Amino acid sequence: MLHAVMIKRRKKIPEWKVREVEELAELIKQHPVIGIASIEGVPTAQLQKIKKKLHERYGDRIVTRVAKNTLFRLALSRAGIEPEKLEKYLTGSNMFIFTDMNPFELALILDKTRVTAPAKPGMKAPCEITIPAGDTGFRPGPIMSVFGKLKIPIRVQKGTIWITKDVVAAKPGDEISPELASLLQKLGIEPIEVKISLKAAYDHGLVIPGEELHLDLKEYESKVIEAAKAALWVGVEIGYPEPEVLKIAIPVAVRRALMVAAEAGYVTPETAEFVIRHAVAKALAVVAALGDKAKELGIEVTIAAPQQPEKKEEEKKEEEEKEEEEKEAVSEEELAAGLEGLFGF
C-alpha cells in the first residue's frame, strides 16, 4: 500500500523583507540610541515633511525608517538585542529613529520639529483660526455663498473676490464645519500642527519610556542654578581655596570675626570702633527695654541734636555702617560672578 507523503512547502520570504531586516540590523549596530515614535494618525505628506526637516538639519546624525514591527523584532535579534525589552512599544504604526544623540536631546528635537496640515471636517480647532483680509484670487460664483454662510465679509474687485477684514473663523475647541475646512484648504491655510513623539528610547541597553524623556527646561535650569548656588555656599563656609570662592568667603569671614570681637569685647585698633558701637547699641537697647524704670534708677539718655555739618558727618557714618553690614550678605552680582568663575555660566 502506497502512502502519500504530504510535504509542506515553506513559503518563500520576499527578498525585500530580507534586505529590510539586514539594513535595520545594521542601523541598530551602528547607533547606540534607538527611538520608537508613533506615527498613528500622521498624514503621509506631513510625515515626509518631518523626515525632510530632520535630514536637512541633522544629516546622518538622525536616521529615520518606517518599518513593520515584525521586521524590526527580527532586526533586534540579528543585532543581539532581546526584542522583549521593547516589545510593549512595538504596536501600531511606528517610525524607528537611529542616532548617537542623547535620547533627551532627541525628544526635544522631535518636539520642536513641527509641520502644518489642513483641517478636516469634524476636527476641533486647536487654536484660533483667522482668515486674513485680502484678495482670495477666486472668481465670483457659487463660492460667494460659502463666504456668506461663514459670515465672512467680501467684495468683488477687479474680477476677484476680496475679504474686506480679518475674520476669526473658529476659536479653540470649535468644531470645524465641512464648509470651513474646504475654504481653508482652498485658501492654503493649514491650522493643524503635526509632530511625532517618542514612545520610548533604547540607550546603550537602557529602555527609557517616552513620558520620562520630556523635560521642563526652565525648571531644570532653575534647579541646576540652585544647586550651583548651594555648592558655592558650601565652598564659602569651608573656605575652599578657589579664587572665585575666596572673593566671597574672605569678606564674610572678616565680618563674622568683627561680630565675635564685638560680643567678646575684644579691643584692637581694628575692632575698637566696631566694639564700642556694638556696646552702645546694646546699652541703648537695655534703656529702651527698662522704659520708665530707667528714670527711677537714675538712668537718662540724652541725644543732642547735632548741628548741620555734624548731621552730614553722622549720615556719612550711617552709610559706612550700612556698607559694612552689606558685606555680610552676598549680593546677586557676587553670586553670579562666583558661579561664572566656578561653573562657566
Side-chain angles (χ1 to χ4, degrees):
M1 187 177 178
L2 296 175
H3 297 278
V5 179
M6 302 293 293
I7 301 174
K8 273 191 174 182
R9 300 183 65 182
R10 176 179 284 183
K11 188 177 179 181
K12 186 177 179 181
I13 299 174
E15 187 63 30
W16 71 268
K17 287 188 177 181
V18 175
R19 287 197 307 271
E20 183 79 3
V21 171
E22 289 175 353
E23 289 174 9
L24 287 170
E26 194 60 32
L27 286 170
I28 293 169
K29 291 176 184 177
Q30 291 173 358
H31 299 86
V33 175
I34 305 164
I36 302 175
S38 173
I39 55 173
E40 290 281 351
V42 179
T44 302
Q46 277 62 45
L47 181 61
Q48 293 303 320
K49 287 180 182 179
I50 289 172
K51 292 176 69 174
K52 184 180 178 182
K53 276 190 175 184
L54 291 172
H55 181 71
E56 288 174 348
R57 293 176 184 175
Y58 303 100
D60 293 335
R61 289 201 65 197
I62 295 180
V63 179
T64 60
R65 293 291 292 267
V66 175
K68 292 183 178 295
N69 294 323
T70 51
L71 299 183
F72 186 72
R73 288 189 190 94
L74 291 172
L76 286 172
S77 298
R78 289 277 184 92
I81 297 174
E82 297 177 6
E84 290 76 15
K85 289 186 175 182
L86 294 168
E87 184 62 38
K88 63 185 289 187
Y89 304 107
L90 297 178
T91 58
S93 300
N94 295 310
M95 182 170 76
F96 303 100
I97 304 168
F98 308 91
T99 182
D100 58 358
M101 290 182 176
N102 180 293
F104 295 93
E105 181 184 4
L106 177 62
L108 184 61
I109 287 170
L110 291 178
D111 187 61
K112 290 181 177 179
T113 306
R114 306 181 181 206
V115 297
T116 58
K120 292 182 179 179
M123 274 187 172
K124 299 293 184 182
C127 58
E128 188 173 272
I129 300 174
T130 301
I131 298 179
D135 186 5
T136 64
F138 302 151
R139 296 285 180 183
I143 197 171
M144 295 177 73
S145 63
V146 176
F147 284 105
K149 187 174 181 180
L150 296 173
K151 298 180 180 179
I152 300 173
I154 58 173
R155 72 171 183 269
V156 177
Q157 181 178 327
K158 297 180 180 179
T160 59
I161 299 171
W162 287 64
I163 298 172
T164 59
K165 66 175 183 179
D166 292 354
V167 175
V168 176
K171 294 181 179 179
D174 289 351
E175 184 174 319
I176 298 174
S177 66
E179 293 83 5
L180 179 57
S182 176
L183 181 62
L184 290 173
Q185 192 164 1
K186 286 182 172 68
L187 292 170
I189 298 174
E190 298 186 341
I192 308 301
E193 198 172 56
V194 177
K195 66 172 184 173
I196 57 174
S197 300
L198 288 176
K199 295 166 71 174
Y202 179 89
D203 182 10
H204 295 84
L206 177 66
V207 178
I208 307 172
E211 58 270 18
E212 295 180 15
L213 291 169
H214 299 283
L215 300 176
D216 184 334
L217 293 184
K218 288 186 177 179
E219 181 184 357
Y220 192 74
E221 181 184 7
S222 176
K223 287 181 178 179
V224 170
I225 291 173
E226 287 302 316
K229 284 183 179 180
L232 181 58
W233 271 113
V234 170
V236 169
E237 290 295 330
I238 66 174
Y240 187 75
E242 167 68 35
E244 297 303 326
V245 173
L246 293 178
K247 284 179 184 178
I248 301 172
I250 291 173
V252 170
V254 170
R255 175 67 177 174
R256 289 176 178 175
L258 288 172
M259 290 176 68
V260 171
E263 289 293 335
Y266 181 73
V267 181
T268 68
E270 291 80 14
T271 65
E273 182 182 353
F274 195 81
V275 172
I276 293 168
R277 190 189 314 133
H278 187 70
V280 170
K282 278 196 168 184
L284 291 173
V286 170
V287 172
L290 288 171
D292 292 337
K293 286 186 178 182
K295 289 183 179 180
E296 293 175 11
L297 296 170
I299 302 171
E300 189 172 350
V301 178
T302 303
I303 302 175
Q307 297 177 357
Q308 191 64 21
E310 292 177 351
K311 185 178 179 181
K312 289 183 178 177
E313 184 65 27
E314 183 65 25
E315 289 175 353
K316 183 178 180 182
K317 285 184 179 180
E318 287 178 2
E319 289 177 3
E320 290 174 355
E321 289 174 10
K322 189 176 179 181
E323 288 175 3
E324 285 292 327
E325 291 172 1
E326 287 176 349
K327 288 180 181 177
E328 172 65 14
V330 179
S331 67
E332 288 296 327
E333 290 76 11
E334 289 173 318
L335 273 175
L339 290 172
E340 183 176 0
L342 278 174
F343 306 100
F345 288 164

